[in-house]
Amino acid sequence: MATERWVSATKQPTDLPDPPHGLDPGTDPSLGNALRPTRLDEYIGQAELKERLRIAIEAAKSRSEPLDHLLLHGPPGLGKTTLAHVVASEMGASVKVTSGPALTKGTDLVGALTRLEANDVLFIDEIHRLPVAVEEFIYPAMEDLRIDIAVDAGVHARTVTVTLKPFTLIGATTRAGLLSSPLRSRFGLTHNLNYYEPGELLDILCRSAGLLSISAERDALERVALRSRGTPRIANRLLRRVRDYAQVRTGGVISATTVDEALALEGVDEIGLDEIDRRYLTTIHKTYQGGPVGLEALAATMGEDAGTLADVVEPFLLQRGLVARTTRGRELTKDGTDRVRKVIAGEVWT
Ligand code: ADE
């Protein structure tokens, strides 16, 4: 499988804040290709999605067709980009990676699509940020494998039609709600990625430790898994931090105590919350008396970007039952309030 990253797949440096939790959907080196599974059988977790993909891929291959267009949504770090590589590999095709913000003009998309070989995968990360003008080109491309390009103006105006080779578009988004319904309806397969169970994260960590030649006790990796917020990318990042710590402080021994010490240094508490999570919870508690508070007001008080809070910070806190989203805004739950009290009492890092 060939991978070509020929359109900038990373964010525009000026329009996105620094990602918390070390999460940069495009460039986090801890996700490095070395740790990325390339086949469905190597991919751990997301059992339902894998089963759906196995069937769809086998059927498409037996008809010598590309896989139907696939929309993946869910919080960052759960493996959307990895899955695009896996799908391409299973199809015996290449993947070309780009992102919504990188495709600024219709011609960017034309360039991207015309460079695809038959049955290749075009992966568009952050597809909810695709400009409207580009989105319009994508409809006939997805449906009829053609792009209509207007040339000249006035009395000379005419349309040139470019025919495309069969391809699969894989769109990834953290915000399915922001996708227009015409775009959403053109995906034949849609799947929401869920957070991983601790046991699945442990399996991923064991696999990564093997690939990185890290020898660690199983209960040490279990502790990393429990602090990884259900997210493989975070698990692999924390594993590297623990490896560094062990190398410098414990002669390479990775025990449960090593993990506790290394992750305390990283500001990651025993349930995986880090500095920005704790600040989110304590701001609602201290400034807004537990809420409800609107997202924009909360973001302004914290000096953070509202989109980052909504995409990256809140999903795990909601899933963990520490905050609730109501029509009047965000509110701490009883567990959320208990957690803040522990933070204030110094029982977890501040
Ligand atoms: N590395 C990161 N995510 C993974 C996954 N889901 N399965 C195997 N290895 C991974």
Side-chain angles (χ1 to χ4, degrees):
M1 179 200 59
T3 302
E4 203 186 327
R5 217 176 169 93
W6 47 273
V7 182
S8 166
T10 52
K11 311 291 179 302
Q12 308 304 307
T14 50
D15 67 1
L16 274 181
D18 283 344
H21 311 303
L23 282 173
D24 178 342
T27 57
D28 186 336
S30 67
L31 230 204
N33 289 338
L35 297 184
R36 210 170 240 163
T38 52
R39 306 302 298 235
L40 270 181
D41 283 344
E42 290 174 294
Y43 192 97
I44 295 159
Q46 310 295 340
E48 209 179 294
L49 171 59
K50 278 192 298 190
E51 188 58 8
R52 293 181 67 199
L53 286 176
R54 261 192 205 102
I55 292 170
I57 288 170
E58 191 179 325
K61 277 167 82 173
S62 69
R63 294 191 302 260
S64 300
E65 287 174 4
L67 181 71
D68 222 341
H69 303 304
L70 169 65
L71 179 65
L72 298 171
H73 50 99
L78 299 194
K80 297 185 283 291
T81 311
T82 302
L83 277 164
H85 287 79
V86 167
V87 164
S89 169
E90 294 285 347
M91 292 299 295
S94 297
V95 57
K96 311 272 177 1
V97 177
T98 185
S99 72
L103 297 169
T104 53
K105 306 181 294 298
T107 47
D108 294 336
L109 182 71
V110 175
L113 289 168
T114 52
R115 293 180 61 173
L116 297 176
E117 294 301 327
N119 298 354
D120 273 359
V121 170
L122 178 65
F123 178 72
I124 306 185
D125 200 8
E126 294 189 88
I127 195 164
H128 61 277
R129 297 180 69 200
L130 205 60
V132 177
V134 178
E135 202 176 305
E136 278 160 16
F137 279 93
I138 232 171
Y139 300 152
M142 290 174 80
E143 276 178 343
D144 304 322
L145 300 177
R146 70 178 166 79
I147 319 175
D148 300 316
I149 304 165
V151 279
D152 281 350
V155 289
H156 301 294
R158 65 204 158 86
T159 304
V160 173
T161 297
V162 177
T163 307
L164 302 169
K165 297 184 184 123
F167 73 100
T168 299
L169 177 65
I170 301 186
T173 179
T174 48
R175 300 262 201 117
L178 295 186
L179 230 62
S180 73
S181 58
L183 182 55
R184 198 182 329 201
S185 68
R186 283 171 171 85
F187 287 92
L189 293 158
T190 297
H191 201 94
N192 180 42
L193 274 78
N194 300 315
Y195 284 112
Y196 291 65
E197 296 297 330
E200 294 170 336
L201 289 175
L202 177 60
D203 288 346
I204 290 172
L205 284 164
C206 289
R207 178 179 179 272
S208 300
L211 290 169
L212 297 172
S213 304
I214 296 174
S215 71
E217 290 163 20
R218 192 177 168 83
D219 65 337
L221 293 184
E222 245 160 28
R223 279 175 119 80
V224 178
L226 286 172
R227 292 168 188 190
S228 300
R229 309 165 59 94
T231 307
R233 187 183 293 162
I234 296 178
N236 284 332
R237 184 175 71 81
L238 296 183
L239 178 64
R240 289 179 198 267
R241 297 292 67 77
V242 170
R243 174 177 67 170
D244 287 355
Y245 185 86
Q247 207 174 312
V248 174
R249 290 284 164 85
T250 68
V253 175
I254 300 183
S255 64
T257 312
T258 317
V259 170
D260 287 351
E261 289 170 4
L263 297 190
L265 207 57
E266 289 295 304
V268 174
D269 73 17
E270 81 277 8
I271 61 166
L273 304 189
D274 66 12
E275 188 275 334
I276 192 169
D277 299 312
R278 289 190 290 273
R279 203 149 47 80
Y280 177 101
L281 297 173
T282 47
T283 303
I284 299 182
H285 179 79
K286 285 186 179 166
T287 311
Y288 298 99
Q289 293 75 47
V293 52
L295 176 64
E296 295 293 339
L298 180 57
T301 309
M302 291 177 65
E304 295 289 344
D305 171 74
T308 305
L309 290 186
D311 287 357
V312 183
V313 178
E314 289 187 330
F316 182 71
L317 298 177
L318 287 163
Q319 194 250 5
R320 203 68 178 61
L322 299 174
V323 276
R325 210 155 39 194
T326 70
T327 47
R328 294 186 306 144
R330 277 67 174 158
E331 265 176 5
L332 289 186
T333 61
K334 180 177 174 311
D335 283 355
T337 307
D338 290 348
R339 193 82 210 155
V340 172
R341 295 212 164 106
K342 277 189 168 183
V343 172
I344 293 170
E347 290 168 35
V348 293
W349 302 273
T350 50

